[in-house]
Amino acid sequence: MDVIVLGGGLMGTASAYFLARRGARVTLIERNRIGTGATVASFGNIRRTGRHLSQLPLAHRSLKLWGEADKMLGRDVEFRASGHIRLIFDEGSLTDMRAYAEAARPWGLELEELGQSEIRARFPGLGPDAIAASFSPHDGSGNPRLIAPAFAEAALKLGAAIVEDAKIERIERTDSGFLVATSEGTFAAECLLNTAGAWGARIAAQFGEEIPLDARGPQMGVTEPLPHRILPVVGIWTRDKDHGAYLRQVERGNIVFGGAAERVPVDLDPGHAAADPTRLPLQLRAVARLLPAIAQVAIIRTWCGCEGYMRDMLPVMGRSATTEGLFHAFGFSGHGFQLGPGVGDAMAELITTDRCETPLDDFRVDRFSRAA
Ligand SMILES: Cc1cc2nc3c(=O)[nH]c(=O)nc-3n(C[C@H](O)[C@H](O)[C@H](O)COP(=O)(O)OP(=O)(O)OC[C@H]3O[C@@H](n4cnc5c(N)ncnc54)[C@H](O)[C@@H]3O)c2cc1C
C-alpha cells in the first residue's frame, strides 16, 4: 500500500513511522521543515488529567508509546514520567476535580488526591495557598523540539521518503488514488493522510468537507535557568480562565510556562503566531500563584504557535466522509502533543487494516454537519 502523508508535524511524522512499520510505502510531504508548526511551539505537557473522557483511550495508547519512544526511535526525546500535579485553591474547583476523577476512573485514569500537608511535604514551594491537588504519577513531559524529527528519522530508516520545503501546487483524486504536485516533484499514492495541523481544514475543504476550525496561538514563556527542583508538570483546577496557568522545569533548569492569557488569533497566511507582550503580566500573576518564587526570576523569551481549534475541542480523526482513501488527523485544539504517538499508531492501524482498536467515533469529520 502507498500512502502520502501531508504535513510533517508530530501527527504526520508519527503516522509516517507507524505506517512504514506496518509495511506501507510512505511519502511524507512537508511544505516547510519537519516539526516546525504547532509541534515545536508546544509546552511539552504529556497530560491526561482533564481530557475529554472519550479521548482517554487514545491518550492511554499514546502514553504507552511515549514510554517506549527512546527505544523505538533510538534517541532520547526527553520523555520524563515525573507526574502531573494540578493545584486547587477553592472548594468549587475541588468539587470539579473530584467529579472528574470519579468519571475518569472507569476510563482507566486514576488520580490521587493530595491534601495541603502532602503538597507541602512532597512539593515544597508549590502553591502555598492551595487547599488540595490532584496528582497523576505516570504523566509528565517531553521535548517538543526532538519528537517530530525523531519520528521522521526513524520513518526514513524504515524506507519512508521525507520531502521538505515542498510548495504544494495541486492535490487531485485520480482513478487509482491521489496525486500531489509540488515544487519538489509529483507524487502518487492509493491513500492520502491529511495531517496539516491548523491548515488541515483547507485540505479537507478541497474534498467537499467544510469543517469549522479556528486558528489560534497559545502563548508560552521561559525563564533563565535555575537549579533543577520542580519535578512534576504543574497546573491548576479552576473555573477562572485568568488563573489557568501551568509550568514545568526542564532538566537544564529553565521554567517553561503557559496558559491564563487569551490565545492570540492567527492568520493562516502566512501562519506565523506572534506572542503578545501585553498579555505577559496577567500570565505571570497566574503562574506566581502556582510558584511564588517565579517573581524573583528573569523571563528570557516568549513565543506562540499556530494551532487549529475545533469548537468542541476534539480533533478530527478518521476516514473522510466524502472521499475513498482520504484520511484526516488534524485540529488537536491545544492538546495534541500528548496524543501524537497514539494518533500516528491509530491512523496507521486504520489505514492499513481498515479498523482501529481505539474508538475514534467522537472525532468523525462529519460530526459538525450531522449536528447542524
Ligand atoms: C504554543 C503551544 C503549546 C502547546 N502545548 C501543548 C502541550 O503542552 N500539550 C499538548 O498535548 N499539546 C500542546 N499543544 C498542542 C500540540 O502542540 C499540537 O496539537 C500538535 O503539535 C499538533 O501537531 P500537528 O502535527 O497536527 O500540527 P503541526 O505541528 O502544526 O504540523 C502540521 C504541519 O503541516 C504543514 N502543512 C500545512 N499545510 C500543508 C500542506 N498543504 N502541505 C504540506 N504541509 C503542510 C505545516 O507546515 C506543519 O508543519 C500546544 C500547541 C501550541 C501552539
Side-chain angles (χ1 to χ4, degrees), residues 5-13 29-47 51 166 168 171 195-200 203 206 216-220 246 303-309 329-339:
V5 179
L6 209 52
L10 176 52
M11 305 311 165
T13 55
I29 303 176
E30 164 57 49
R31 59 175 191 170
N32 293 323
R33 307 291 295 185
I34 291 295
T36 55
T39 301
V40 76
S42 176
F43 168 74
N45 203 357
I46 297 180
R47 156 193 75 82
R51 279 186 188 270
I168 311 300
I171 306 171
T195 51
W199 299 266
I203 309 277
Q206 291 185 42
R216 298 212 154 248
Q219 184 161 318
M220 307 286 123
Y246 43 86
W303 72 93
C304 205
C306 178
E307 169 76 329
Y309 287 83
F330 66 87
F332 284 88
S333 306
H335 48 251
F337 189 74
Q338 192 280 345
L339 296 175

Side-chain angles (χ1 to χ4, degrees), residues 313-331:
M313 299 297 275
L314 291 174
V316 170
M317 266 182 85
R319 294 179 190 86
S320 156
T322 59
T323 310
E324 177 89 31
L326 174 65
F327 295 83
H328 303 293
F330 66 87

Side-chain angles (χ1 to χ4, degrees), residues 84-279:
H84 179 229
I85 185 170
R86 268 176 109 164
L87 299 164
I88 297 167
F89 293 84
D90 60 86
E91 290 297 332
S93 302
L94 181 58
T95 306
D96 292 348
M97 184 280 280
R98 286 180 176 155
Y100 180 83
E102 199 174 318
R105 197 166 299 121
W107 292 81
L109 178 64
E110 283 292 339
L111 295 183
E112 290 171 27
E113 181 176 326
L114 310 183
Q116 240 171 2
S117 53
E118 234 177 326
I119 299 170
R120 282 195 196 120
R122 288 174 64 179
F123 306 106
L126 292 184
D129 300 329
I131 58 168
S134 68
F135 187 63
S136 179
H138 305 298
D139 288 337
S141 60
N143 189 325
R145 291 180 178 275
L146 301 181
I147 189 67
F151 267 122
E153 261 171 45
L156 199 63
K157 283 191 189 136
L158 293 177
I162 312 276
V163 184
E164 292 181 274
D165 294 320
K167 187 173 179 309
I168 311 300
E169 288 157 1
R170 209 168 69 249
I171 306 171
E172 259 176 39
R173 182 81 175 92
T174 61
D175 289 345
S176 56
F178 297 85
L179 187 143
V180 180
T182 81
S183 56
E184 301 303 300
T186 297
F187 304 91
E190 209 175 319
C191 294
L192 179 68
L193 170 59
N194 167 17
T195 51
W199 299 266
R202 288 186 168 179
I203 309 277
Q206 291 185 42
F207 295 94
E209 297 181 287
E210 294 299 332
I211 300 152
L213 178 148
D214 205 11
R216 298 212 154 248
Q219 184 161 318
M220 307 286 123
V222 64
T223 69
E224 61 186 330
L226 301 159
H228 189 214
R229 297 271 187 277
I230 307 164
L231 294 181
V233 177
V234 186
I236 182 172
W237 286 95
T238 178
R239 296 174 185 179
D240 182 345
K241 65 180 174 31
D242 286 352
H243 286 153
Y246 43 86
L247 64 96
R248 70 185 178 98
Q249 188 175 25
V250 302
E251 285 170 3
R252 286 168 292 283
N254 312 74
I255 297 169
V256 187
F257 58 86
E262 284 288 331
R263 302 174 191 114
V264 298
V266 188
D267 184 348
L268 281 177
D269 296 310
H272 297 144
D276 174 356
T278 64
R279 295 169 197 229

